[in-house]
Amino acid sequence: MAPSPLQQRRTHNTLLFQKLLNLRDSASPFTLILDTLEQSGGPAVREFARRSKISKNNIVFISFSTLRKKVPFEVDSFITARGKALGVLRTEILSHLQAPPTTAQNTSLASTKYLLIIDTLNTLSSSHPQHLSLFLSSLLVVPQISLLATYHTDVPLSQSPSASPYAPSPLTTLICLATAILTVSSLSQTLARKRARDKSHQEPVFGIQEGREGVIVGMKRRAKDEQGLVINMEIRRRSGRGVTENFVLLPPVPPTSNSQSASKSAKLSSLSEFILLDDHPLYASPSTGGAASAATADEEDMNTTFNLGLTEKQKRDRENVVLPYFDAQKDGGAAGPGDGGRILYDMGAEDREDFDDEEDEI
């Protein structure tokens, strides 16, 4: 039996996301990660770095706010970009990259792939918003270079005095420039919104959207089965068509070896698994039987001063009720075919007690 179009689309999007993580066949020259204060994009960046190290690619880390000792993975080159002019910074970055081949004989030397990681684009967006597109495009000098950058959507930007009021915002420029956009969110928060939608309740809000005064409090410790990162993938194909899908990036399995060196190498080589969000056990839509049992459980767990359920006798009586439109479908109705729109009504014992002949005569 041939797979359905939905299965083909899901399989295709899964392979496309795996191709993006592995930086295979120049899947995306510029990948933009959008994160928030509630969920950092660090796990996605670390997954790119782990897979890049396994593929023996060179990693160049461009830091605007991260110390070298705070980088959670091994890098080949570390560049401090804070306080430097864009021309000086571009020259320093390109000095760590292989020069593009000038002849056909040097083409084989350009087989090395590079992953440029920018820890945050908020600094560039605040200081040089008008040169953001030109600077990022100038770093992609050869097809073997892939750019991975993070933008914090919750961090406000300071207005540059040279910025034009008619120019688009830096985030709009980055979204138009990126060939792949990964919007990350917390799995526990996504599940909380899903549970609210299933019960037709208002979806909860978190973080700054709550509108509460005071300091921002981090998320509480999540349950073991709710650990993970929800990634909304949007890849722009060369034809202009976009591919969108939601995935769950599960945390890597910790090593079981007791040796420190073995555990360090295993931690570097262990990769995170990812699945479609619709396939996650806690997010998948329940079946018909599961929905019925869940509805029954909700009725039983409802804290009210009266009983909303039905007894077994009431359920049997409800099933035995024959509605008029069912009776009219049997051999043309109870009075035979061609009876028209006759109202079917049998007077019960209760109706006879309320009926008064004297009032009818008056």
Side-chain angles (χ1 to χ4, degrees):
M1 182 178 179
S4 62
L6 178 61
Q7 294 176 345
Q8 291 180 353
R9 180 185 65 83
R10 289 157 62 92
T11 304
H12 173 265
N13 293 345
T14 302
L15 295 176
L16 192 60
F17 185 59
Q18 183 177 6
K19 182 179 179 181
L20 175 64
L21 290 177
N22 294 332
L23 302 176
R24 195 165 61 242
D25 301 333
S26 300
S28 173
F30 176 30
T31 302
L32 177 65
I33 298 180
L34 302 178
D35 66 354
T36 60
L37 295 175
E38 291 298 309
Q39 179 58 64
S40 170
V45 176
R46 290 192 292 270
E47 184 63 21
F48 273 97
R50 280 194 293 263
R51 294 173 181 262
S52 182
K53 272 301 177 183
I54 293 177
S55 302
K56 297 181 179 180
N57 300 334
N58 291 340
I59 299 178
V60 179
F61 193 89
I62 306 167
S63 170
F64 284 92
S65 60
T66 307
L67 299 177
R68 185 183 182 94
K69 62 181 180 179
K70 295 294 184 180
V71 179
F73 45 83
E74 183 182 354
V75 297
D76 297 287
S77 302
F78 184 88
I79 300 175
T80 302
R82 192 171 186 85
K84 296 182 180 179
L86 290 185
V88 177
L89 178 60
R90 179 182 180 275
T91 303
E92 185 176 357
I93 294 174
L94 295 182
S95 65
H96 292 81
L97 306 179
Q98 193 171 9
T102 56
T103 61
Q105 296 179 355
N106 298 332
T107 306
S108 60
L109 299 177
S111 58
T112 305
K113 294 184 179 180
Y114 294 88
L115 175 62
L116 302 181
I117 300 179
I118 302 179
D119 59 349
T120 175
L121 288 174
N122 294 71
T123 305
L124 280 177
S125 300
S126 299
S127 59
H128 303 86
Q130 66 276 14
H131 302 300
L132 194 60
S133 175
L134 182 62
F135 173 73
L136 296 177
S137 301
S138 64
L139 300 179
L140 304 175
V141 292
V142 291
Q144 288 77 18
I145 298 177
S146 298
L147 178 60
L148 178 67
T150 303
Y151 184 88
H152 310 303
T153 57
D154 284 348
V155 177
L157 301 178
S158 59
Q159 281 283 31
S160 175
S162 60
S164 172
Y166 304 102
S169 64
L171 180 58
T172 303
T173 303
L174 292 174
I175 290 177
C176 295
L177 187 64
T179 53
I181 302 175
L182 303 180
T183 305
V184 300
S185 57
S186 171
L187 177 59
S188 59
Q189 295 180 3
T190 303
L191 295 176
R193 297 187 184 99
K194 174 67 164 49
R195 288 191 290 265
R197 289 196 302 268
D198 292 342
K199 296 181 180 180
S200 299
H201 294 169
Q202 184 178 2
E203 295 185 11
V205 292
F206 304 93
I208 297 181
Q209 297 179 357
E210 295 184 53
R212 297 182 180 181
E213 297 182 358
V215 298
I216 299 176
V217 180
M219 293 185 300
K220 298 180 180 179
R221 186 169 183 175
R222 292 168 286 186
K224 186 177 180 180
D225 53 353
E226 293 186 359
Q227 293 181 356
L229 181 71
V230 178
I231 299 179
N232 176 264
M233 177 196 70
E234 181 183 353
I235 293 184
R236 280 81 177 270
R237 309 300 297 271
R238 295 180 180 177
S239 61
R241 181 176 61 90
V243 179
T244 306
E245 190 61 81
N246 293 317
F247 296 91
V248 177
L249 187 66
L250 303 175
V253 180
T256 57
S257 175
N258 295 329
S259 176
Q260 184 176 1
S261 59
S263 62
K264 184 177 180 180
S265 60
K267 184 177 181 180
L268 179 63
S269 60
S270 61
L271 300 179
S272 300
E273 297 182 357
F274 63 90
I275 58 175
L276 290 168
L277 178 60
D278 295 334
D279 293 341
H280 195 277
L282 298 180
Y283 189 89
S285 300
S287 59
T288 305
S293 60
T296 305
D298 290 342
E299 291 181 359
E300 294 177 354
D301 297 339
M302 203 172 291
N303 296 326
T304 57
T305 57
F306 49 88
N307 185 13
L308 297 178
L310 298 176
T311 63
E312 294 298 330
K313 182 179 181 303
Q314 291 173 341
K315 292 180 181 179
R316 289 195 301 268
D317 294 341
R318 183 180 61 181
E319 294 175 356
N320 294 331
V321 173
V322 180
L323 299 178
Y325 54 85
F326 285 139
D327 186 75
Q329 295 174 2
K330 298 178 181 178
D331 298 330
D339 197 39
R342 185 177 65 87
I343 298 176
L344 303 177
Y345 172 70
D346 294 332
M347 183 178 293
E350 298 82 0
D351 299 329
R352 294 190 182 93
E353 293 177 359
D354 296 337
F355 185 75
D356 194 347
D357 295 336
E358 296 179 358
E359 291 181 1
D360 184 62
E361 292 176 0
I362 295 174

